[in-house]
Amino acid sequence: MSQSYPLFVKRDIDGFFGLFIDNLVQLLLILGICGGLCGMSGDNAFYLYRYIFPGAAVSILVGNLFFAWQAHRLAAKEGRNDVTALPYGINTPSLLVYVFFVLAPVYNQTGSVEAAWKMGLIACLGSGVIELLGSLFAERIRKYTPRAALLSTLAGIAIGFIAMSFTLQIFHRPLIAMVPLGLILLALFSHTRFPLGMPGGMVAVACGTIVAWILTAIAPNLSSPPDWLAPNTLDPSAVTASFGTLGLYLPQFVGGEIWELLSDVDAWLGYVSVIVPMGLFNIVGSLQNVESAEAGGDSFATAPSLAMNGIGTICAALFGSCFPTTIYIGHPGWKALGSRAGYSTLNGIVVTVLCCSGLIGLASSIIPMEAGVAIVLWIGIIITAQAFQATPDNHAPAVAIGLFPAIAAWGATVMAGAFFSANGTTMQDLLAANPSAEVNGFLIEGLISMERGYIFTCMILAALSACLIDRKFYAAAVWALIAAFGTFTGLMHSFQLQGNTIDYLLLFSEPAEGALVFSATGIGIGYLGIAVVCIIARSFRSGPNHLDPAVESASSSEPDSDDESVFNDA
């Protein structure tokens, strides 16, 4: 361990609040949707407090401690004291997908909370095994993929699913959230120091919490409270009610329950079409986050980082949690905060205490989420900026095109949620009547098709574009062929739609009865056409180059490497 690399620095407090808020959001999401959709409420809430939360604690603690240790190792190896540990926690996309496409369907079919929980364990275990195996070849993927392709995907996710989501929360409860937003921007953009050297994140959360409780105390004393005040108050009764869940919930090994269900292959085989794509998504997403960390100055080994993802997820399943863990997006943001390894260790310890004591509900009832979301919003801003700053200037168009599928995925998610809330005409109804149906000028079918496998689509489009910018036509053709393969197998673009529920349509899977099916064969053929165009373009390489002079200069300075390796890193 490096003598000059401290266990904890003051700036770790800022990093802790950002990562803790992110993890707390996931835990509260589990509490809400599992209770509402999977029957884990009332007398069945013990599945959450006795199994799922303690299991999540095991996975989060193991992962955070590993990544803190990994940061110490890198600091000692390179003789540095500014290494920032990789952020880590519950995987949000997997959480939502497993609830909507594994736990909830099993619960609706069987009426058994136990059956839904056990199937969730199988899904989580499967994802962990895929991630662990993926760590063996992930470094080669990273080596042959342009940085623009890896970072643009993260930027698209950051814009839609992080920055935009939390911005909406801030403007929904402005009296609680906007002053903390100003404090965060003041601390992190202008590097203003607060009195007594207090970390900006701690000041922002404390300020938002105090304001929220002051407003809550004032509101009942007003004869006619204004409409804008109500969203900015808290519920004191929720604090009292949360004491009912307090207790000691130690993790319990549930390998026997998993083995029992694994022995019945027919029971879980149908869910492979959900487990495999999510496992692959997690591999690619973690790979992109490791690349993001390297672009930010911290070069962590790919294989052990991704292996820890798989091990953490397997631990989650073996101790009762249905939800995979992953390396989080946002390392450059935490590094810019000045965090080191202590924020990761502290996060693992605090989340473990909350999960094993039933304090999750109490914490959420006392501290308004909006008091801390500005930190996470800032993380999203930094991720987006890094995608352009850490790639060659002439690759900026490649980064830009890689944003589109993720933004489309965000739009499709918002649209689907609106249809769910409407309780009327479904997306299936509209598309069955008219495949060209639009919502405010946006094709519904196009949004959903871009959303399916968008992590792959973002990366491939950006990689293909970066190769073309560098005039590596064979490499661009290979990326187009990979896109065609992903499309024909159903990992990208194809989907089946039942009501407002969107699911994958894999090559060898049977569509659900009554579902509206969209086969992306035409898109796959289109990718093949792009590959052919790129190959033909190779024969025109000696002709005049009509690129912009700046781009031409940047491209001509690079050696022609098509003959050496079609995947040479752009």
Side-chain angles (χ1 to χ4, degrees), residues 434-458:
N434 177 16
S436 300
E438 298 180 353
V439 173
N440 289 339
F442 294 94
L443 287 165
I444 296 175
E445 187 177 82
L447 278 175
I448 299 174
S449 179
M450 287 289 281
E451 183 271 340
R452 291 290 88 181
Y454 70 90
I455 289 182
F456 296 138
T457 312
C458 286

Side-chain angles (χ1 to χ4, degrees), residues 452 456-457 460 480-495 504-509 518-531:
R452 291 290 88 181
F456 296 138
T457 312
I460 291 170
L481 292 173
I482 292 172
F485 174 80
T487 303
F488 288 133
T489 57
L491 290 173
M492 296 163 53
H493 302 304
S494 295
F495 64 87
Y504 284 93
L505 181 66
L506 297 182
L507 180 61
F508 299 109
S509 63
F518 173 78
S519 173
T521 301
I523 298 177
I525 294 173
Y527 282 128
L528 291 178
I530 292 175

